[in-house]
PDB file of all heavy atoms in Angstrom:
ATOM      1  N   VAL A 324      -2.302  35.343   9.342  1.00 84.00           N
ATOM      2  CA  VAL A 324      -1.480  35.520  10.542  1.00 84.00           C
ATOM      3  C   VAL A 324      -0.912  34.155  10.893  1.00 84.00           C
ATOM      4  O   VAL A 324      -1.615  33.145  10.861  1.00 84.00           O
ATOM      5  CB  VAL A 324      -2.320  36.055  11.729  1.00 84.00           C
ATOM      6  CG1 VAL A 324      -1.452  36.142  12.971  1.00 84.00           C
ATOM      7  CG2 VAL A 324      -2.899  37.409  11.384  1.00 84.00           C
ATOM      8  N   GLY A 325       0.382  34.085  11.176  1.00 69.00           N
ATOM      9  CA  GLY A 325       1.033  32.809  11.453  1.00 69.00           C
ATOM     10  C   GLY A 325       0.376  32.051  12.584  1.00 69.00           C
ATOM     11  O   GLY A 325       0.149  32.611  13.659  1.00 69.00           O
ATOM     12  N   VAL A 326       0.080  30.758  12.376  1.00 62.00           N
ATOM     13  CA  VAL A 326      -0.568  29.926  13.391  1.00 62.00           C
ATOM     14  C   VAL A 326       0.312  29.810  14.629  1.00 62.00           C
ATOM     15  O   VAL A 326      -0.163  29.895  15.761  1.00 62.00           O
ATOM     16  CB  VAL A 326      -0.854  28.516  12.820  1.00 62.00           C
ATOM     17  CG1 VAL A 326      -1.437  27.615  13.894  1.00 62.00           C
ATOM     18  CG2 VAL A 326      -1.798  28.616  11.632  1.00 62.00           C
ATOM     19  N   THR A 327       1.598  29.627  14.413  1.00 60.00           N
ATOM     20  CA  THR A 327       2.519  29.442  15.535  1.00 60.00           C
ATOM     21  C   THR A 327       3.090  30.762  16.027  1.00 60.00           C
ATOM     22  O   THR A 327       3.223  30.997  17.218  1.00 60.00           O
ATOM     23  CB  THR A 327       3.676  28.501  15.115  1.00 60.00           C
ATOM     24  OG1 THR A 327       3.125  27.196  14.868  1.00 60.00           O
ATOM     25  CG2 THR A 327       4.732  28.391  16.196  1.00 60.00           C
ATOM     26  N   THR A 328       3.459  31.653  15.105  1.00 63.00           N
ATOM     27  CA  THR A 328       4.177  32.870  15.465  1.00 63.00           C
ATOM     28  C   THR A 328       3.265  34.031  15.810  1.00 63.00           C
ATOM     29  O   THR A 328       3.651  34.937  16.561  1.00 63.00           O
ATOM     30  CB  THR A 328       5.082  33.322  14.311  1.00 63.00           C
ATOM     31  OG1 THR A 328       4.265  33.667  13.184  1.00 63.00           O
ATOM     32  CG2 THR A 328       6.048  32.226  13.920  1.00 63.00           C
ATOM     33  N   GLY A 329       2.054  34.054  15.255  1.00 71.00           N
ATOM     34  CA  GLY A 329       1.175  35.208  15.421  1.00 71.00           C
ATOM     35  C   GLY A 329       1.612  36.397  14.576  1.00 71.00           C
ATOM     36  O   GLY A 329       1.027  37.479  14.671  1.00 71.00           O
ATOM     37  N   ARG A 330       2.637  36.212  13.733  1.00 78.00           N
ATOM     38  CA  ARG A 330       3.129  37.309  12.898  1.00 78.00           C
ATOM     39  C   ARG A 330       2.247  37.452  11.654  1.00 78.00           C
ATOM     40  O   ARG A 330       1.848  36.443  11.073  1.00 78.00           O
ATOM     41  CB  ARG A 330       4.563  37.036  12.455  1.00 78.00           C
ATOM     42  CG  ARG A 330       5.573  37.108  13.563  1.00 78.00           C
ATOM     43  CD  ARG A 330       6.999  36.977  13.043  1.00 78.00           C
ATOM     44  NE  ARG A 330       7.321  35.643  12.586  1.00 78.00           N
ATOM     45  CZ  ARG A 330       8.520  35.249  12.177  1.00 78.00           C
ATOM     46  NH1 ARG A 330       9.519  36.108  12.142  1.00 78.00           N
ATOM     47  NH2 ARG A 330       8.738  34.023  11.770  1.00 78.00           N
ATOM     48  N   PRO A 331       1.952  38.676  11.235  1.00 89.00           N
ATOM     49  CA  PRO A 331       1.222  38.853   9.973  1.00 89.00           C
ATOM     50  C   PRO A 331       2.062  38.348   8.803  1.00 89.00           C
ATOM     51  O   PRO A 331       3.272  38.579   8.769  1.00 89.00           O
ATOM     52  CB  PRO A 331       0.998  40.369   9.896  1.00 89.00           C
ATOM     53  CG  PRO A 331       2.027  40.967  10.784  1.00 89.00           C
ATOM     54  CD  PRO A 331       2.271  39.966  11.874  1.00 89.00           C
ATOM     55  N   ARG A 332       1.413  37.651   7.876  1.00 92.00           N
ATOM     56  CA  ARG A 332       2.134  37.128   6.730  1.00 92.00           C
ATOM     57  C   ARG A 332       2.252  38.182   5.635  1.00 92.00           C
ATOM     58  O   ARG A 332       1.350  38.976   5.433  1.00 92.00           O
ATOM     59  CB  ARG A 332       1.426  35.894   6.168  1.00 92.00           C
ATOM     60  CG  ARG A 332       1.406  34.730   7.142  1.00 92.00           C
ATOM     61  CD  ARG A 332       0.556  33.566   6.637  1.00 92.00           C
ATOM     62  NE  ARG A 332       0.460  32.523   7.658  1.00 92.00           N
ATOM     63  CZ  ARG A 332      -0.632  31.814   7.885  1.00 92.00           C
ATOM     64  NH1 ARG A 332      -1.713  32.006   7.153  1.00 92.00           N
ATOM     65  NH2 ARG A 332      -0.649  30.905   8.840  1.00 92.00           N
ATOM     66  N   ARG A 333       3.352  38.164   4.938  1.00 95.00           N
ATOM     67  CA  ARG A 333       3.526  38.981   3.750  1.00 95.00           C
ATOM     68  C   ARG A 333       2.704  38.329   2.626  1.00 95.00           C
ATOM     69  O   ARG A 333       2.699  37.114   2.490  1.00 95.00           O
ATOM     70  CB  ARG A 333       5.013  39.045   3.377  1.00 95.00           C
ATOM     71  CG  ARG A 333       5.863  39.626   4.485  1.00 95.00           C
ATOM     72  CD  ARG A 333       7.333  39.246   4.355  1.00 95.00           C
ATOM     73  NE  ARG A 333       7.959  39.753   3.150  1.00 95.00           N
ATOM     74  CZ  ARG A 333       9.169  39.412   2.725  1.00 95.00           C
ATOM     75  NH1 ARG A 333       9.874  38.490   3.400  1.00 95.00           N
ATOM     76  NH2 ARG A 333       9.667  39.933   1.631  1.00 95.00           N
ATOM     77  N   CYS A 334       2.010  39.126   1.849  1.00 97.00           N
ATOM     78  CA  CYS A 334       1.083  38.611   0.849  1.00 97.00           C
ATOM     79  C   CYS A 334       1.409  39.112  -0.557  1.00 97.00           C
ATOM     80  O   CYS A 334       1.863  40.248  -0.723  1.00 97.00           O
ATOM     81  CB  CYS A 334      -0.363  39.003   1.199  1.00 97.00           C
ATOM     82  SG  CYS A 334      -0.937  38.326   2.774  1.00 97.00           S
ATOM     83  N   GLY A 335       1.144  38.275  -1.545  1.00 98.00           N
ATOM     84  CA  GLY A 335       1.372  38.664  -2.940  1.00 98.00           C
ATOM     85  C   GLY A 335       0.569  37.781  -3.869  1.00 98.00           C
ATOM     86  O   GLY A 335      -0.111  36.841  -3.454  1.00 98.00           O
ATOM     87  N   TRP A 336       0.640  38.070  -5.146  1.00 98.00           N
ATOM     88  CA  TRP A 336      -0.090  37.319  -6.165  1.00 98.00           C
ATOM     89  C   TRP A 336       0.574  35.955  -6.377  1.00 98.00           C
ATOM     90  O   TRP A 336       1.714  35.720  -5.978  1.00 98.00           O
ATOM     91  CB  TRP A 336      -0.134  38.091  -7.480  1.00 98.00           C
ATOM     92  CG  TRP A 336      -0.807  39.425  -7.412  1.00 98.00           C
ATOM     93  CD1 TRP A 336      -0.256  40.641  -7.742  1.00 98.00           C
ATOM     94  CD2 TRP A 336      -2.140  39.716  -7.006  1.00 98.00           C
ATOM     95  NE1 TRP A 336      -1.146  41.640  -7.556  1.00 98.00           N
ATOM     96  CE2 TRP A 336      -2.340  41.115  -7.105  1.00 98.00           C
ATOM     97  CE3 TRP A 336      -3.219  38.933  -6.550  1.00 98.00           C
ATOM     98  CZ2 TRP A 336      -3.525  41.747  -6.788  1.00 98.00           C
ATOM     99  CZ3 TRP A 336      -4.417  39.557  -6.205  1.00 98.00           C
ATOM    100  CH2 TRP A 336      -4.565  40.939  -6.337  1.00 98.00           C
TER     101      TRP A 336
END
Side-chain angles (χ1 to χ4, degrees):
V324 177
V326 176
T327 294
T328 64
R330 291 186 288 185
R332 295 174 186 143
R333 301 159 64 189
C334 297
W336 300 121

